[in-house]
Amino acid sequence: MSGDIPVVFVPGMLCDAQLWAQVRPGPGFRVVHSDLDAPSLSGMADQVLGAVDGPFVLAGLSLGAIAGFEVLRRAPERVLGFCAISTNPHPPTATQYRSWHDMAFRTTRGEFGTVVREVIAPTMFADRAGTPELVERFVAMALRVGPDRFLGQLRTQADRFDSVPSLGAVRCPALVVSADDDALCPREYHRAIAGAIEGSRFETIAGAGHLCTWEVPQRISELLSDWLPAVARYRTTAQESICP
């Protein structure tokens, strides 16, 4: 394996590649974007695995990291490093089921735009509302994703299960990032991930919410640039272990 190591960026629910537009992994690594529009968690994992040939680094935010958990279960030998941001490793709660059912019902009634703007957008940013510019940017992105993919993503969320037990098998370097003002995925979710993966690195970010890649992209880039050399070392060790 030669050349730059691919970093596959996996977006969250109602997000696309623009989620990562200002995030840079640093020298020696190249960005690859994965879609997240398959109608099942296994299908999403297939999309991530199909985004690049061979080993790669997986960086996922929210639902993107949940798809990453499935990738780690199915093809751990492909993953050189795993970065989980603003996510939840646990199974859904009754409250979440009710919320998702309501959003799906309203979306099927033609209220997708209202759901995005009034229900989802207020949970995306640090002050529980975000600046008007960030809100409009998120709404535009969500509308690009569209109601059909949104409904599929809701169904996928509802079918997920507890990922914590399987994370103990992860051997690649891991970076877990929690934003202090995340209204959806609090710090304890990320501590559970970091606690399950031996040797993982846990970082918190002040003054940012769920979509921290938009609020503090420079900080996310710095964390990746500082962590990714450990991935390069892991790749070298993995190569040496299979050489005759």
Side-chain angles (χ1 to χ4, degrees):
M1 190 164 49
S2 61
D4 289 348
I5 299 172
V7 179
V8 178
F9 283 142
V10 190
M13 188 170 70
L14 285 176
C15 298
D16 58 23
Q18 281 299 305
L19 179 69
W20 307 96
Q22 296 172 275
V23 176
R24 302 290 182 268
F29 297 85
R30 62 182 174 89
V31 171
V32 178
H33 292 286
S34 174
D35 291 326
L36 201 69
D37 54 11
S40 67
L41 192 58
S42 62
M44 290 178 179
D46 285 338
Q47 287 184 297
V48 176
L49 289 165
V52 65
D53 294 328
F56 61 94
V57 179
L58 194 163
L61 185 145
S62 196
L63 182 57
I66 292 170
F69 300 147
E70 180 65 13
V71 170
L72 287 168
R73 282 189 288 268
R74 292 176 52 183
E77 74 284 354
R78 294 275 311 276
V79 185
L80 294 171
F82 176 61
C83 175
I85 305 172
S86 302
T87 195
N88 183 351
H90 303 301
T93 64
T95 298
Q96 286 176 314
Y97 280 128
R98 287 193 295 269
S99 175
W100 296 336
H101 180 272
D102 180 68
M103 286 190 286
F105 177 71
R106 294 180 64 184
T107 296
T108 59
R109 292 182 57 186
E111 299 178 43
F112 174 62
T114 302
V115 168
V116 167
R117 187 175 292 277
E118 296 184 1
V119 180
I120 300 174
T123 67
M124 291 291 105
F125 304 108
D127 62 1
R128 304 295 189 267
T131 66
E133 293 80 11
L134 281 176
V135 169
E136 291 308 314
R137 188 178 170 193
F138 172 74
V139 170
M141 179 171 66
L143 293 179
R144 286 196 303 271
V145 171
D148 291 339
R149 277 190 283 175
F150 175 54
L151 290 171
Q153 289 172 345
L154 286 175
R155 288 191 294 270
T156 297
Q157 291 270 37
D159 290 340
R160 75 173 194 253
F161 49 88
D162 190 0
S163 292
V164 174
S166 66
L167 293 176
V170 175
R171 294 294 176 260
C172 67
L175 172 65
V176 184
V177 181
S178 172
D180 279 353
D181 293 317
D182 190 335
L184 298 177
C185 300
R187 185 180 299 185
E188 56 263 31
Y189 291 0
H190 303 90
R191 287 201 182 279
I193 300 168
I197 302 176
E198 184 177 356
S200 63
R201 176 174 170 178
F202 176 69
E203 295 283 349
T204 62
I205 300 177
H210 194 64
L211 293 193
C212 54
T213 56
W214 276 7
E215 291 178 289
V216 287
Q218 182 60 36
R219 180 59 180 146
I220 300 298
S221 297
E222 290 170 354
L223 289 173
L224 286 174
S225 296
D226 187 56
W227 167 71
L228 282 169
V231 173
R233 292 191 294 271
Y234 175 78
R235 181 183 72 159
T236 299
T237 301
Q239 283 181 305
E240 291 174 347
S241 69
I242 62 175
C243 289

